[in-house]
Amino acid sequence: MKFNWGTGVIIGFGSFMTFILFFVFLVQSNSKYDNELVADDYYKQESKVQGDIESQTLSNALKTKLKIEKTAEGLQIVFPADIDYKKITGIISLYRPSNQKLDFETKISLSNPIMLIPNHKLVSGLWEISINWKVDEVTYLNKETVYF
Protein backbone atom coordinates (compact mmCIF):
# COMPACT_ATOMS: atom_id res chain seq x y z
CA MET A 1 0.00 0.00 0.00
CA LYS A 2 1.27 3.39 -0.94
CA PHE A 3 1.18 6.18 1.68
CA ASN A 4 0.41 9.59 0.13
CA TRP A 5 -1.28 12.80 1.28
CA GLY A 6 -4.81 11.42 0.60
CA THR A 7 -4.16 8.46 2.90
CA GLY A 8 -2.82 10.85 5.57
CA VAL A 9 -5.97 13.00 5.36
CA ILE A 10 -8.22 9.93 5.72
CA ILE A 11 -6.20 8.68 8.71
CA GLY A 12 -6.33 12.18 10.26
CA PHE A 13 -10.13 12.45 9.86
CA GLY A 14 -10.60 8.93 11.21
CA SER A 15 -8.40 9.66 14.24
CA PHE A 16 -10.24 12.93 14.94
CA MET A 17 -13.67 11.26 14.73
CA THR A 18 -12.50 8.45 17.03
CA PHE A 19 -11.17 11.03 19.52
CA ILE A 20 -14.47 12.98 19.55
CA LEU A 21 -16.62 9.84 19.82
CA PHE A 22 -14.48 8.58 22.73
CA PHE A 23 -15.15 11.76 24.73
CA VAL A 24 -18.86 11.78 23.87
CA PHE A 25 -19.12 8.21 25.14
CA LEU A 26 -17.07 9.08 28.25
CA VAL A 27 -19.32 12.04 29.19
CA GLN A 28 -22.58 10.16 28.52
CA SER A 29 -21.59 7.09 30.55
CA ASN A 30 -20.10 8.92 33.57
CA SER A 31 -22.63 9.82 36.30
CA LYS A 32 -20.43 12.75 37.34
CA TYR A 33 -21.58 14.59 34.20
CA ASP A 34 -25.31 14.34 34.85
CA ASN A 35 -27.38 15.65 31.93
CA GLU A 36 -30.77 16.50 33.37
CA LEU A 37 -33.38 19.21 33.08
CA VAL A 38 -33.54 21.82 35.81
CA ALA A 39 -37.11 20.74 36.61
CA ASP A 40 -38.91 17.47 35.87
CA ASP A 41 -42.16 19.23 35.00
CA TYR A 42 -40.56 21.84 32.76
CA TYR A 43 -43.40 22.01 30.22
CA LYS A 44 -46.05 22.26 32.93
CA GLN A 45 -44.18 25.16 34.52
CA GLU A 46 -43.82 26.85 31.13
CA SER A 47 -47.62 26.99 30.71
CA LYS A 48 -47.94 29.17 33.87
CA VAL A 49 -45.68 31.96 32.62
CA GLN A 50 -48.37 34.66 32.21
CA GLY A 51 -49.66 34.10 35.75
CA ASP A 52 -46.10 34.35 37.06
CA ILE A 53 -45.57 37.64 35.22
CA GLU A 54 -48.72 39.10 36.78
CA SER A 55 -47.69 37.89 40.27
CA GLN A 56 -44.22 39.42 39.86
CA THR A 57 -45.80 42.71 38.72
CA LEU A 58 -47.96 42.79 41.85
CA SER A 59 -44.91 42.04 43.99
CA ASN A 60 -42.91 44.83 42.37
CA ALA A 61 -45.79 47.27 42.94
CA LEU A 62 -45.67 46.83 46.74
CA LYS A 63 -44.53 49.84 48.77
CA THR A 64 -42.25 47.69 50.91
CA LYS A 65 -40.48 44.93 48.99
CA LEU A 66 -39.68 41.43 50.15
CA LYS A 67 -35.96 41.07 50.98
CA ILE A 68 -33.66 38.05 50.83
CA GLU A 69 -30.54 38.40 52.96
CA LYS A 70 -27.59 36.16 53.78
CA THR A 71 -26.87 35.96 57.50
CA ALA A 72 -24.58 33.90 59.72
CA GLU A 73 -27.50 31.58 60.59
CA GLY A 74 -28.62 31.04 56.99
CA LEU A 75 -30.83 32.67 54.41
CA GLN A 76 -33.26 35.20 55.87
CA ILE A 77 -36.44 36.16 54.04
CA VAL A 78 -38.00 39.40 55.30
CA PHE A 79 -41.61 39.90 54.29
CA PRO A 80 -43.05 43.44 53.97
CA ALA A 81 -43.83 44.97 57.36
CA ASP A 82 -47.01 46.66 56.11
CA ILE A 83 -48.63 43.26 55.44
CA ASP A 84 -50.01 41.16 58.30
CA TYR A 85 -47.59 38.22 58.42
CA LYS A 86 -50.28 35.94 59.92
CA LYS A 87 -52.17 36.02 56.61
CA ILE A 88 -49.14 35.05 54.50
CA THR A 89 -49.13 31.52 53.05
CA GLY A 90 -47.14 29.95 50.26
CA ILE A 91 -44.08 27.99 49.21
CA ILE A 92 -40.39 28.83 48.96
CA SER A 93 -38.60 26.86 46.25
CA LEU A 94 -34.82 26.67 46.16
CA TYR A 95 -33.29 25.40 42.93
CA ARG A 96 -29.64 24.51 42.47
CA PRO A 97 -28.90 24.81 38.72
CA SER A 98 -25.81 22.61 38.98
CA ASN A 99 -27.42 19.73 40.90
CA GLN A 100 -31.11 18.85 40.88
CA LYS A 101 -30.65 16.54 43.87
CA LEU A 102 -30.11 19.58 46.14
CA ASP A 103 -33.41 21.27 45.15
CA PHE A 104 -36.05 21.57 47.84
CA GLU A 105 -39.24 23.37 48.76
CA THR A 106 -40.49 24.56 52.11
CA LYS A 107 -43.86 25.94 53.21
CA ILE A 108 -44.01 29.45 54.56
CA SER A 109 -44.71 29.35 58.30
CA LEU A 110 -44.25 32.62 60.12
CA SER A 111 -44.29 33.63 63.77
CA ASN A 112 -42.91 37.04 62.79
CA PRO A 113 -42.33 38.74 59.40
CA ILE A 114 -38.95 36.99 59.03
CA MET A 115 -38.40 33.42 57.87
CA LEU A 116 -35.02 31.72 58.18
CA ILE A 117 -33.71 28.86 56.06
CA PRO A 118 -30.86 27.41 58.14
CA ASN A 119 -27.29 26.91 56.91
CA HIS A 120 -27.42 23.12 57.20
CA LYS A 121 -30.04 22.96 54.41
CA LEU A 122 -27.93 25.02 52.00
CA VAL A 123 -24.76 23.97 50.21
CA SER A 124 -22.50 26.83 49.18
CA GLY A 125 -22.93 27.92 45.60
CA LEU A 126 -25.52 29.46 43.28
CA TRP A 127 -29.20 29.16 44.27
CA GLU A 128 -32.30 30.29 42.40
CA ILE A 129 -34.97 31.22 44.93
CA SER A 130 -38.64 31.45 44.01
CA ILE A 131 -41.05 32.67 46.69
CA ASN A 132 -44.69 32.17 45.76
CA TRP A 133 -46.79 33.74 48.50
CA LYS A 134 -50.41 34.68 48.94
CA VAL A 135 -52.26 37.24 51.08
CA ASP A 136 -56.07 37.51 50.97
CA GLU A 137 -56.33 35.65 47.63
CA VAL A 138 -53.71 37.93 46.02
CA THR A 139 -50.69 35.97 44.76
CA TYR A 140 -47.21 37.46 44.76
CA LEU A 141 -44.06 36.00 43.25
CA ASN A 142 -40.46 36.95 43.97
CA LYS A 143 -37.55 35.36 42.13
CA GLU A 144 -33.94 35.98 42.96
CA THR A 145 -30.56 34.38 42.35
CA VAL A 146 -28.27 34.22 45.38
CA TYR A 147 -24.73 33.00 45.74
CA PHE A 148 -24.57 31.41 49.19
Side-chain angles (χ1 to χ4, degrees):
M1 180 174 160
K2 220 171 155 182
F3 187 80
N4 59 22
W5 67 271
T7 307
V9 169
I10 297 297
I11 291 172
F13 279 143
S15 300
F16 179 72
M17 288 184 352
T18 304
F19 173 76
I20 295 298
L21 289 174
F22 169 73
F23 279 106
V24 167
F25 175 75
L26 184 69
V27 167
Q28 293 298 323
S29 64
N30 193 343
S31 63
K32 178 182 172 188
Y33 305 109
D34 202 4
N35 301 317
E36 58 192 24
L37 291 173
V38 173
D40 289 331
D41 58 348
Y42 173 77
Y43 294 108
K44 184 179 174 184
Q45 288 180 4
E46 197 63 30
S47 65
K48 303 184 314 176
V49 170
Q50 185 58 39
D52 288 351
I53 291 170
E54 291 168 2
S55 297
Q56 283 180 324
T57 304
L58 286 172
S59 182
N60 290 336
L62 290 172
K63 293 176 188 174
T64 310
K65 309 279 190 259
L66 180 136
K67 295 178 193 164
I68 299 173
E69 303 168 343
K70 293 186 291 183
T71 64
E73 295 85 28
L75 201 60
Q76 184 172 305
I77 300 166
V78 181
F79 287 92
D82 53 349
I83 294 176
D84 184 13
Y85 68 87
K86 294 173 187 165
K87 295 181 180 179
I88 297 174
T89 60
I91 294 177
I92 300 172
S93 304
L94 288 99
Y95 297 107
R96 183 69 186 259
S98 63
N99 189 351
Q100 183 181 12
K101 294 172 183 112
L102 297 175
D103 296 352
F104 67 94
E105 289 184 342
T106 184
K107 284 189 173 186
I108 296 173
S109 59
L110 301 172
S111 58
N112 59 35
I114 298 171
M115 183 166 175
L116 180 71
I117 298 172
N119 277 337
H120 67 83
K121 287 189 171 186
L122 301 168
V123 177
S124 63
L126 186 70
W127 288 92
E128 291 181 11
I129 302 167
S130 177
I131 303 169
N132 195 345
W133 53 293
K134 188 184 267 191
V135 178
D136 296 329
E137 301 303 318
V138 179
T139 303
Y140 301 96
L141 178 65
N142 294 80
K143 289 185 177 185
E144 194 168 322
T145 302
V146 175
Y147 189 83
F148 190 76

